[in-house]
């Protein structure tokens, strides 16, 4: 008895914003913002089981050929997410007393969950309240092979150009990324009896395996550049937040 879940999500979210402000004598202002967000979730149980049954090899009743018995439940759910937010702003003033300013903001956020904290994905292989008598091998395996692969990046570049002798330039940029990756699951392989119930086999292999894998990369970059003018100012801020839970 084989039951396998291969649910898969492949998500890509990309946002790009480009803005420019130009002035020949006044104030040039360029403000841009780009944000990308992705929410991905896989829920559901995977079970292979024998319940309230009687199973015997040849010679018993009911009769079954002399073969091995395997109960295998495998959950191989997978989430691949790529999230990118990029903002570029250019402000330019050619006036003698003109001013130029650029303010770009880039952000990228992803939340990926396999199972929920309040409702874990169950991966179970079991024999419950049953009689099993076979001359071969009995295998009861539960396997969690879930994985999350998330890449999150955000960038912001601000350029201010003031060519006037008394001009002023200001460039301020900011970028931020956030990544939350969580796997909530219960993996069990068991034999539970009942009144007068027995399990007999040449060899019994009972195994529960959890090979959950989370691979997350997050990066944020901010660049501010000012050219010319008598009053210059530039600044950049980056924020990175990552959280993983198994």
């Amino acid at each position: 008895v084989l039951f396998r879940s291969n649910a898969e999500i492949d998500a890509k979210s990309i946002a790009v914003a480009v803005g420019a402000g130009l002035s020949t004598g006044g104030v040039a202002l360029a403000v841009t913002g780009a944000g990308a967000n992705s929410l991905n979730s896989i829920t559901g149980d995977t079970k292979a089981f024998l319940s309230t049954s009687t199973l015997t090899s040849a010679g018993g009743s009911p009769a079954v050929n002399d073969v091995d018995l395997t109960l295998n439940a495998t959950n191989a759910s997978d989430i691949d997410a790529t999230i990118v937010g990029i903002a570029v702003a250019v402000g330019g003033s050619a006036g003698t007393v003109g001013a130029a300013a650029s303010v770009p903001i880039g952000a990228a956020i992803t939340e990926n969950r396999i199972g929920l904290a309040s409702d874990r994905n169950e991966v179970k292989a079991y024999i419950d309240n049953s009689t099993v008598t076979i001359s071969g091998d009995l295998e009861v395996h539960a396997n969690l092979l879930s994985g999350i692969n998330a890449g999150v990046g955000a960038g912001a570049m601000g350029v201010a150009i003031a060519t006037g002798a008394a001009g002023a330039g200001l460039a301020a940029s900011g970028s931020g990324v956030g990544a939350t990756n969580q796997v909530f699951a219960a993996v069990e392989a068991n034999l539970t009896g009942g009144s007068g119930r027995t399990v007999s086999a040449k060899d019994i292999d009972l195994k529960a395996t959890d090979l959950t894998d989370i691979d997350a990369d997050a990066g944020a970059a901010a660049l501010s550049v000012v050219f010319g003018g008598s009053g210059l100012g530039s600044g950049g801020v980056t924020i990175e937040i990552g959280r993983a839970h198994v």
Side-chain angles (χ1 to χ4, degrees), residues 122-133:
E122 294 184 353
V123 184
K124 294 184 177 182
Y126 61 91
I127 295 176
D128 175 58
N129 193 30
S130 298
T131 294
V132 176
T133 305

Side-chain angles (χ1 to χ4, degrees), residues 17-20 30-34 86-90 102-106 157:
V18 178
V31 179
T32 60
I86 299 174
V88 178
V90 178
S102 65
V103 184
I105 298 175
M157 184 175 70

Side-chain angles (χ1 to χ4, degrees), residues 162-178:
T163 61
L170 172 65
S173 60
S175 66
V177 296

Side-chain angles (χ1 to χ4, degrees), residues 9-12 38 40 79-83 110 112 148-152:
I9 294 176
D10 187 359
K12 291 181 174 61
S38 177
N40 306 295
I79 296 177
D80 289 311
T82 302
I83 316 300
T110 183
N112 305 296
I148 296 176
N149 184 16
V152 188

